[in-house]
Amino acid sequence: MENLVEHSLAADGLAVGYDQREIIHDLSVRIPTGKITVIVGANACGKSTLLKTMARLLKPSRGSVLLDGKSIQSIPTREVATKLGLLPQSPTAPEGITVADLVGRGRYPRTRWIRQWSKADDEAVAAAMTSTDVLEIADRPIDELSGGQRQRVWIAMALAQETDILLLDEPTTFLDLTHQFEVLDLLVDLNKQDDRTIVLVLHDLNQACRFGDHLIAMKDGAIAAEGNPREVITEEVVQDVFGLGVKIVPDPVAGTPMVVPIGRHTTRADAQPASVSSAAAALAASAAANGVCRPTDR
């Protein structure tokens, strides 16, 4: 595999929308190089819109995405594809295509009519499939694979591009818990091996805290909080961004923040605040002293 060169990705004064409706409002952010950044937020807050805009799939109405300090709109498509890879939500593959063929498509940005397929391309594809543990199923059709295997193949295709920056939009969607952790562990491996910059959208806050170095919490098309997981995932931020009361406790495995929703119907009776419990006890004592029966005594 070619040595990766660090590339930078940022947004400056970004405004993006659909059908005259603005989704992202004057957003500026710099993605930490060589780290795993996780974007979180409620549905329709602009997470995927931001990711697509940074990948140049959407054109901003104002502001710009900066790749290596240059507007990404001014960089040729093929050049962008050699620096930045994208795994969109629920990608689809041609019917009957094999694992090796799909992964090989990741090399297209690096081939030209004067540069045909070479040994270096074979090596890049083999390295990508080895890294994602799909080399043994190289000849199998994509249609026959499990959800976790299929997602690893798509990541292998993105790796075959040999880009320094990898964007993934909800890569764990529709996967069971085991396959979710397989994919997230793989992304950590890739980050540690090559210092690859990884940006992904996740819904699970506990997974975001465990696997992310840097978190971006979005609300209504803007950044509500940004920083390491302990700075971002607080009871106040979660209440503000998601409208949900929670308790934050240490993850017993990773030590990172773990979000425990309070809810309305699943709170333990013996976990009530002391003031409420003492007040209830005082009322019960007063009722007993006055001969008033409890509901359970009726």
Side-chain angles (χ1 to χ4, degrees), residues 235-247:
E235 294 174 6
E236 294 76 18
V237 170
V238 175
Q239 176 68 57
D240 177 49
V241 171
F242 294 92
L244 178 67
V246 300
K247 292 295 182 183

Side-chain angles (χ1 to χ4, degrees), residues 16 18 24 46-59 65 72-73 84 86 88-89 167 169 201:
V16 190
Y18 304 95
I24 292 178
K47 303 185 299 295
S48 293
T49 299
L50 174 60
L51 200 74
K52 290 175 183 176
T53 307
M54 289 194 295
R56 211 176 74 163
L57 295 183
L58 295 174
K59 185 176 181 179
V65 173
I72 199 170
Q73 298 293 332
L84 184 152
L86 170 69
Q89 286 187 44
L167 310 181
D169 195 359
V201 171

Side-chain angles (χ1 to χ4, degrees), residues 39-275:
I39 304 173
V40 299
N43 289 339
C45 72
K47 303 185 299 295
S48 293
T49 299
L50 174 60
L51 200 74
K52 290 175 183 176
T53 307
M54 289 194 295
R56 211 176 74 163
L57 295 183
L58 295 174
K59 185 176 181 179
S61 55
R62 295 191 308 278
S64 58
V65 173
L66 303 174
L67 181 60
D68 295 340
K70 295 170 56 179
S71 171
I72 199 170
Q73 298 293 332
S74 69
I75 304 174
T77 300
R78 189 180 290 270
E79 183 180 343
V80 171
T82 62
K83 298 178 180 180
L84 184 152
L86 170 69
L87 180 60
Q89 286 187 44
S90 306
T92 57
E95 186 175 353
I97 192 171
T98 65
V99 169
D101 287 341
L102 184 61
V103 176
R105 295 192 175 200
R107 298 300 296 169
Y108 285 180
R110 297 185 178 276
T111 58
R112 292 175 173 82
W113 68 271
I114 58 173
R115 182 199 175 281
Q116 300 302 313
W117 193 271
S118 67
K119 181 181 178 182
D121 295 311
D122 284 329
E123 291 174 348
V125 170
M129 289 195 291
T130 300
S131 295
T132 53
D133 197 26
V134 296
L135 189 59
E136 293 184 357
I137 57 174
D139 296 327
R140 289 182 59 184
I142 296 294
D143 302 338
E144 296 179 0
L145 304 183
S146 69
Q149 289 175 320
R150 196 172 303 179
Q151 198 70 321
R152 291 204 305 271
V153 171
W154 284 110
I155 294 174
M157 188 188 77
L159 293 181
Q161 287 181 239
E162 294 187 316
T163 63
D164 182 52
I165 302 172
L166 183 58
L167 310 181
L168 305 100
D169 195 359
E170 299 185 26
T172 57
T173 299
F174 307 124
L175 299 182
D176 62 33
L177 192 59
T178 299
H179 289 133
Q180 288 176 28
F181 272 78
E182 283 181 1
V183 167
L184 294 171
D185 279 335
L186 169 61
L187 295 178
V188 173
D189 291 339
L190 298 174
N191 168 256
K192 289 182 176 180
Q193 288 167 9
D194 302 310
D195 289 328
R196 186 179 267 105
T197 300
I198 296 175
V199 186
L200 64 156
V201 171
L202 287 179
H203 278 291
D204 190 307
L205 294 182
N206 293 330
Q207 291 180 356
C209 289
R210 181 178 287 197
F211 292 97
D213 301 307
H214 186 81
L215 267 57
I216 297 172
M218 293 187 63
K219 178 185 177 182
D220 298 331
I223 294 177
E226 180 183 5
N228 68 53
R230 287 182 176 82
E231 294 171 336
V232 174
I233 301 303
T234 65
E235 294 174 6
E236 294 76 18
V237 170
V238 175
Q239 176 68 57
D240 177 49
V241 171
F242 294 92
L244 178 67
V246 300
K247 292 295 182 183
I248 305 295
V249 299
D251 185 314
V253 174
T256 51
M258 187 169 74
V259 179
V260 182
I262 294 174
R264 294 189 298 110
H265 298 295
T266 55
T267 304
R268 285 170 39 186
D270 60 356
Q272 293 179 349
S275 59

